[in-house]
Amino acid sequence: KVGRLVGCFAAAAVCAVDGGRFLMADSEGVLVEVSLPVGVDGVSVTEVVVQRLGHLGCVPQCLAYLGEGRLFVGSPAGPNAILQLLTEPGADGAAFTISRQWPSFAGASSAVLADLDGTGHPTLLATVGQHCGGSLGVLRRGASLLVSHRVD
């Protein structure tokens, strides 16, 4: 029961105590579960079962299984999220839902300090992420500009 695997795998996480199930995401952002059931001898693997769980919307750099069907997905190319794995695929075909999501400020390629609303309080804007996971990040608190050198 080997499913077709697409691309190179970007991240992987062990997802069961017995070590027989693994969650992996490929370079296309597809999350799969790979199961390695063992035979009656308790040692030899009888088959490799690959089940597609859905598309993450970004290519993760790390996966961490948190227990109780929860998975942390970390990505410099898109948002970081905690997923709740489902026993059956939902209406969209994915076998997970997004429980929580945070923007990623990894991969910030440029930033600008601007007074967007005319209040005199500058806002730090940064382009973050990569490709279709890229976005404009806005930092409103705890950011200030200290000019240490100036070239005129």
Side-chain angles (χ1 to χ4, degrees):
K1 294 183 184 178
V2 178
R4 182 172 179 263
L5 300 178
V6 179
C8 298
F9 284 92
V14 177
C15 120
V17 177
D18 63 9
R21 290 183 5 195
F22 303 88
L23 292 175
M24 305 171 85
D26 69 11
S27 59
E28 306 278 323
V30 175
L31 182 67
V32 297
E33 178 184 82
V34 179
S35 300
L36 305 171
V38 294
V40 292
D41 62 1
V43 178
S44 60
V45 174
T46 58
E47 61 184 337
V48 177
V49 181
V50 179
Q51 178 184 356
R52 181 187 164 115
L53 300 181
H55 193 273
L56 296 170
C58 65
V59 178
Q61 189 169 32
C62 73
L63 298 175
Y65 186 70
L66 306 175
E68 298 178 3
R70 293 175 301 136
L71 180 71
F72 173 78
V73 178
S75 173
N80 298 310
I82 293 180
L83 308 180
Q84 181 64 53
L85 301 176
L86 305 173
T87 55
E88 295 292 325
D92 62 354
F96 60 83
T97 59
I98 299 173
S99 298
R100 265 189 97 177
Q101 196 168 6
W102 303 270
S104 172
F105 282 95
S109 57
S110 64
V112 64
L113 197 59
D115 182 6
L116 296 176
D117 52 9
T119 62
H121 299 287
T123 300
L124 181 63
L125 303 173
T127 56
V128 295
Q130 303 166 351
H131 312 294
C132 62
S135 63
L136 181 65
V138 178
L139 295 174
R140 294 194 179 267
R141 290 187 230 163
S144 63
L145 179 64
L146 172 63
V147 178
S148 61
H149 296 81
R150 179 181 223 142
V151 177
D152 291 318

